[in-house]
């Protein structure tokens, strides 16, 4: 197997793992809300707080292994959104949480393909394009903003 194919398999594995983690998080979130609505409150000390935190920790650990940073604090998010708005107001378009989510995913791409800058740029262009299609020059600037504000260690 060539190096390119190995990376492709690793990237597919990372995507599959991410999808499984998102599904597990969704099920955990759904299970938590249904449980709180349909069951009486448990007596104090009956539940283990660490058991409830384990899925979140497992997801955070898996994301960290994939190069996806935790959600930024408010000040970092504000600087990141300002940097994206300086490139084009259509990037954030009033949805900062979506921009952060896409940026965190882009950190995963930077981590997965550290020596393939062209792939990083193209994945960034695709990830951030929607109703507005961004070109490679804009994607390069978006990638730099992501790297600077969300995952400077990647």
């Amino acid at each position: 197997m060539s190096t390119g194919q190995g990376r492709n398999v690793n990237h597919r594995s990372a995507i599959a793992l991410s999808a499984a983690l998102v599904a597990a998080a969704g099920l955990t979130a759904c299970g938590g809300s249904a449980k709180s609505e349909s069951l009486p409150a448990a007596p104090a000390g009956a539940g283990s707080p660490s058991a409830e935190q384990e899925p979140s920790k497992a997801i955070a650990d898996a994301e960290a292994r994939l190069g996806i940073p935790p959600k930024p604090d408010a000040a970092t998010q504000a600087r990141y959104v300002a940097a994206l708005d300086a490139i084009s107001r259509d990037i954030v378009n009033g949805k900062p949480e979506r921009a952060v989510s896409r940026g965190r995913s882009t950190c995963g791409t930077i981590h997965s393909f550290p020596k393939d800058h062209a792939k990083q740029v193209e994945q960034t262009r695709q990830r951030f394009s929607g109703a507005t299609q961004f070109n490679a020059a804009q994607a390069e600037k978006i990638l730099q903003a992501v790297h600077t504000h969300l995952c400077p260690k990647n």
Side-chain angles (χ1 to χ4, degrees):
M1 175 172 8
S2 74
T3 304
Q5 290 173 336
R7 283 188 181 169
N8 196 18
V9 170
N10 288 340
H11 184 66
R12 287 183 187 154
S13 297
I15 290 172
L17 177 60
S18 295
L21 290 171
V22 169
L27 290 174
T28 300
C30 291
S33 64
K35 186 187 300 181
S36 63
E37 291 173 6
S38 62
L39 297 176
S48 168
S50 63
E52 291 178 10
Q53 294 171 356
E54 286 180 31
S56 295
K57 182 169 176 9
I59 291 170
D61 290 347
E63 286 179 340
R65 284 191 298 277
L66 296 172
I68 300 171
K71 290 183 180 179
D73 60 36
T76 302
Q77 179 172 320
R79 288 189 300 271
Y80 169 64
V81 167
L84 295 178
D85 281 345
I87 298 164
S88 170
R89 302 219 28 103
D90 292 330
I91 298 170
V92 177
N93 199 23
K95 299 177 181 174
E97 292 300 322
R98 182 178 66 185
V100 168
S101 176
R102 289 177 177 178
R104 291 177 65 229
S105 294
T106 299
C107 290
T109 300
I110 294 168
H111 176 80
S112 296
F113 303 98
K115 295 182 180 185
D116 193 345
H117 188 73
K119 185 167 190 100
Q120 293 174 15
V121 171
E122 179 57 19
Q123 290 289 315
T124 300
R125 187 192 66 73
Q126 290 176 7
R127 185 171 288 121
F128 280 84
S129 290
T132 301
Q133 294 294 310
F134 298 105
N135 61 39
Q138 290 168 313
E140 177 74 46
K141 291 176 184 176
I142 294 167
L143 179 64
Q144 184 59 44
V146 167
H147 194 261
T148 298
H149 297 286
L150 299 183
C151 50
K153 294 179 183 178
N154 279 0

